[in-house]
């Protein structure tokens, strides 16, 4: 088995090569030309697919989970159709796109209610199962820890301008750059109650922000006080809160999916 770590293979030609079962991490394939390839059972995670064009493909069984913008299938942009169907299936989803302060308050209170049900499902499982991974995804505990990081990053570090908003249990995304002072403990196994205690404190911080805001304040320009998002110069309070809403919404769906698998 060959190892091509830290090598520049740009411009290479691979013809009649078997790469079945290979692992690709932090590999740049921008501009690659793939023809007559077998991608059966391929798993892509944290992939950037801007400008991808697939022609003459056969996709008898394919799933896409992620943020989808324009997606044209056989001449039809299906993204708006998917969005409408998701809103129909989950009416609360539309509340995650607030346009005023009242909408943000409703969105966060809606998440509180939905997460209460999810946590109830988690408590019905043995405690050790909440540290199990389903299909290589984060465990339930890790999911809650990552949401703690999202709150710290976007609310603490940007909206409130805290230089060090982190808690030892915070968990950045897997591909995040290593930053001094930012916790990243993959091995710690906190209890559910410990993580929920941290979530309650982070939720109280959001509520304090909302209580002190006006509709005009939602458009206040903000910059990050931490190494994350340091190059973003167009952030507003509303934009940061929407990121947190999206993180909370999507990761709860992932958690529900994986909890169901664990229970089954």
């Amino acid at each position: 088995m060959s190892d091509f770590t830290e090598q520049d293979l740009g411009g290479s030609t691979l013809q009649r090569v078997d790469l079945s079962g290979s692992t690709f991490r932090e590999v740049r394939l921008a501009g690659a030309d793939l023809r007559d390839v077998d991608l059966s059972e391929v798993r892509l995670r944290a992939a950037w697919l801007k400008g991808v064009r697939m022609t003459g493909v056969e996709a008898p069984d394919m799933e896409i989970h992620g943020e989808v913008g324009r997606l044209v299938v056989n001449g039809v942009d299906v993204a708006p159709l998917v969005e409408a169907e998701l809103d129909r299936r989950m009416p609360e989803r539309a509340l995650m796109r607030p346009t005023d302060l009242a909408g943000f308050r409703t969105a966060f209170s809606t998440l509180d209610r939905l997460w209460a049900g999810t946590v109830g499902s988690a408590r019905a499982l043995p405690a050790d199962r909440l540290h199990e991974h389903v299909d290589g995804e984060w465990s339930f505990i890790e999911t809650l820890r990552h949401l703690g990081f999202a709150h710290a990053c976007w609310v603490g570090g940007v909206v409130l301008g805290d230089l060090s908003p982190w808690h030892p249990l915070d968990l950045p995304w897997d591909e995040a750059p290593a930053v001094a002072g930012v916790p990243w403990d993959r091995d710690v196994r906190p209890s559910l109650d410990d993580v929920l205690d941290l979530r309650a404190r982070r939720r109280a911080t959001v509520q304090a922000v909302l209580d002190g805001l006006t509709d005009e304040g939602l458009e206040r320009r903000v910059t990050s006080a931490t190494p994350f998002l340091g190059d973003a110069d167009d952030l507003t309070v509303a934009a940061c809160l929407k990121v947190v809403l999206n993180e909370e919404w999507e990761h709860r769906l992932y958690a529900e999916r994986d909890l169901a698998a664990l229970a089954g």
Side-chain angles (χ1 to χ4, degrees):
M1 180 169 49
S2 301
D3 186 341
F4 296 102
T5 302
E6 298 292 343
Q7 296 189 42
D8 184 354
L9 301 177
S12 297
T13 296
L14 285 76
Q15 189 168 350
R16 291 185 291 277
V17 174
D18 188 352
L19 295 174
S20 301
S22 297
T23 298
F24 295 81
R25 294 288 185 272
E26 299 181 55
V27 175
R28 181 176 176 82
L29 294 174
D33 184 0
L34 284 72
R35 303 191 184 200
D36 193 17
V37 295
D38 183 352
L39 300 177
S40 301
E41 306 302 324
V42 166
R43 298 291 184 268
L44 281 75
R45 180 177 178 184
W48 179 245
L49 301 175
K50 181 179 180 181
V52 172
R53 300 293 182 268
M54 296 185 289
T55 57
V57 300
E58 297 182 29
D61 181 10
M62 183 169 65
E63 295 185 15
I64 300 175
H65 296 273
E67 296 184 25
V68 180
R70 176 175 176 268
L71 177 60
V72 179
V73 179
N74 292 336
V76 179
D77 186 354
V78 301
L81 306 179
V82 173
E83 288 294 300
E85 176 61 14
L86 289 174
D87 285 348
R88 185 192 69 80
R89 294 183 181 186
M90 300 172 287
E92 298 94 342
R93 186 173 183 268
L95 299 177
M96 301 300 118
R97 302 189 289 270
T99 58
D100 56 19
L101 184 57
F104 275 100
R105 289 171 174 162
T106 297
F108 277 103
S109 63
T110 299
L111 283 170
D112 290 343
R113 173 175 57 81
L114 294 174
W115 267 109
T118 302
V119 170
S121 298
R123 288 196 183 280
L125 293 172
D128 62 329
R129 304 222 70 186
L130 302 183
H131 294 283
E132 290 187 21
H133 297 172
V134 176
D135 197 23
E137 300 292 340
W138 277 329
S139 69
F140 184 74
I141 296 295
E142 288 171 333
T143 295
L144 298 184
R145 291 176 57 202
H146 173 67
L147 291 174
F149 171 83
H151 277 256
C153 185
W154 290 93
V155 180
V158 184
V159 175
L160 298 178
D162 189 342
L163 294 173
S164 183
W166 322 113
H167 184 279
L169 292 180
D170 288 340
L171 186 63
W173 70 100
D174 285 343
E175 298 78 20
V179 177
V182 177
W184 200 337
D185 192 337
R186 287 285 191 272
D187 300 322
V188 66
R189 291 169 64 91
S191 70
L192 176 59
D193 287 332
D194 285 342
V195 178
L196 290 177
D197 179 67
L198 176 58
R199 275 183 64 75
R201 283 182 274 161
R202 290 278 164 72
R203 177 65 178 89
T205 298
V206 170
Q207 192 60 48
V209 169
L210 293 175
D211 290 344
L213 270 180
T214 62
D215 283 329
E216 293 74 19
L218 286 170
E219 299 309 314
R220 176 171 63 88
R221 295 283 176 172
V222 289
T223 56
S224 178
T226 75
F228 297 101
L229 308 167
D231 58 348
D233 56 5
D234 59 348
L235 295 175
T236 64
V237 172
C240 294
L241 292 175
K242 284 181 179 179
V243 171
V244 174
L245 285 175
N246 182 69
E247 287 283 298
E248 289 278 350
W249 176 266
E250 295 295 340
H251 282 286
R252 193 191 70 83
L253 295 180
Y254 302 151
E256 288 278 348
R257 174 200 64 198
D258 293 347
L259 288 172
L262 291 171

